[in-house]
Amino acid sequence: MVNVRYIKVRSLLSPTKLGADFVINPYVGCPHGCRYCYAPCVAHSQREREEPWGQYLDVKRPSVPIEPAKIFRKDILLSSMTDPYNPYEERSQVTRDILRSLLPAQPNITILTKSALVVRDIDIFRKFPHVKVIFSFSSLNDGFRRVMEPHASAPARKMEALAALHEAGVETSVMAAPIFPAITECSAIIESAARYVSQMNFDGLNLRSRNKESMLSLLGRLYPHLRPLYHDIYINGRKDYWQALRREIEASCQMSGIKHNIFF
């Protein structure tokens, strides 16, 4: 059960250096409930809420409307600290309303999501000069998804959404992240998504002090045979695993003709 409340904020716009001029986070919190999410480690709101991450959602209500002149033809990211297409969005349409409000300024939109719900707004995407939708995948295994990303869309549904967006002329990309060593099937993700995307990005599982112990414990229970590998990587600082994986990814992307970036 997700505890939803409405909060007043001055503006939805925040300057960013994440490949855009501004970022819009329509929500605080994210009902996807991803076990590995870094946001609880950095979000100020987490220190103000009693509910565990994934069980609360604040819907932002801005006191100042977005000025079209301020964002005219600018680059806007949706989102950096939440998923703009989380399950609550299906009925609330907060993100859809925000997109409508941005239309007069004709900005370029980049959307980062784990949700197939994004295809709902193809009709609006067509009215912007450019929209790019980036889907993140940690695995193609839905059993793994149900544990790690319990309320995100199933991998098969995300692939179907990629195909629908591509067919509609919307630019698509994939972020294979976080990559779980010996679990995330990078080559299979590349092969499955290659026909739909303009590029792919890759990043490893980065554990912070607040979630390292719990994540290693969970992974150890799920995959006991991988305990030595994860201990070597995340406790002993082993680097050669990532070096070998980089070579594998580069070879697979070259074979598929995919532009790519690797962030580990």
Side-chain angles (χ1 to χ4, degrees):
M1 181 68 178
V2 177
N3 185 10
V4 178
R5 70 179 186 182
Y6 297 85
I7 61 171
K8 291 183 179 180
V9 297
R10 184 180 182 279
S11 173
L12 290 173
L13 282 178
S14 297
T16 184
K17 296 181 180 179
L18 298 173
D21 299 301
F22 298 98
V23 62
I24 295 176
N25 287 291
Y27 302 96
V28 178
C30 182
H32 284 332
C34 299
R35 303 286 291 270
Y36 53 78
C37 186
Y38 66 86
C41 299
V42 298
H44 177 70
S45 63
Q46 181 67 15
R47 298 189 290 271
E48 299 175 345
R49 301 296 295 258
E50 295 180 357
E51 304 95 328
W53 181 258
Q55 295 184 21
Y56 72 86
L57 187 71
D58 291 345
V59 184
K60 294 182 179 179
R61 291 288 187 250
S63 58
V64 177
I66 296 173
E67 300 176 19
K70 185 175 182 180
I71 61 169
F72 184 70
R73 299 289 185 177
K74 298 291 188 180
D75 297 329
I76 294 179
L77 171 65
L78 285 160
S79 300
S80 61
M81 294 289 288
T82 188
D83 193 317
Y85 288 95
N86 66 72
Y88 181 77
E89 169 65 23
E90 185 167 8
R91 62 179 184 274
S92 71
Q93 299 198 11
V94 170
T95 297
R96 185 173 174 86
D97 289 343
I98 289 171
L99 288 169
R100 285 197 187 106
S101 75
L102 298 177
L103 281 171
Q106 288 290 281
N108 300 308
I109 306 293
T110 299
I111 294 168
L112 181 59
T113 185
K114 298 179 188 294
S115 175
L117 177 62
V118 68
V119 300
R120 179 199 65 188
D121 292 341
I122 287 175
D123 62 322
I124 298 181
F125 298 160
R126 288 175 169 147
K127 299 177 182 179
F128 286 98
H130 183 255
V131 173
K132 181 178 183 178
V133 177
I134 304 172
F135 276 99
S136 62
F137 286 82
S138 61
S139 175
L140 295 179
N141 184 316
D142 194 47
F144 184 76
R145 189 274 310 171
R146 287 196 296 269
V147 174
M148 289 295 172
E149 308 165 354
H151 303 295
S153 294
R157 290 195 62 216
K158 288 193 289 185
M159 283 295 175
E160 291 170 358
L162 270 176
L165 289 161
H166 178 73
E167 179 68 23
V170 178
E171 184 181 2
T172 54
S173 180
V174 159
M175 183 75 177
I179 294 172
F180 288 80
I183 298 172
T184 302
E185 323 91 320
C186 292
S187 294
I189 293 173
I190 294 167
E191 183 179 355
S192 297
R195 74 193 76 176
Y196 307 125
V197 301
S198 58
Q199 70 172 42
M200 297 185 68
N201 299 314
F202 302 84
D203 199 5
L205 173 66
N206 297 306
L207 299 180
R208 298 170 183 258
S209 57
R210 285 183 56 185
N211 70 348
K212 177 183 284 190
E213 184 177 347
S214 61
M215 279 303 306
L216 291 179
S217 176
L218 174 60
L219 290 165
R221 294 195 301 272
L222 293 174
Y223 302 94
H225 65 289
L226 294 180
R227 283 176 181 160
L229 175 64
Y230 277 79
H231 188 274
D232 279 351
I233 292 172
Y234 292 101
I235 304 300
N236 295 336
R238 175 181 168 184
K239 303 294 184 184
D240 64 315
Y241 177 86
W242 298 112
Q243 294 165 355
L245 182 60
R246 172 182 282 270
R247 292 192 293 269
E248 176 189 324
I249 289 170
E250 288 175 342
S252 294
C253 286
Q254 184 175 7
M255 185 178 298
S256 299
I258 292 295
K259 296 179 180 178
H260 62 281
N261 297 296
I262 300 174
F263 299 107
F264 58 80

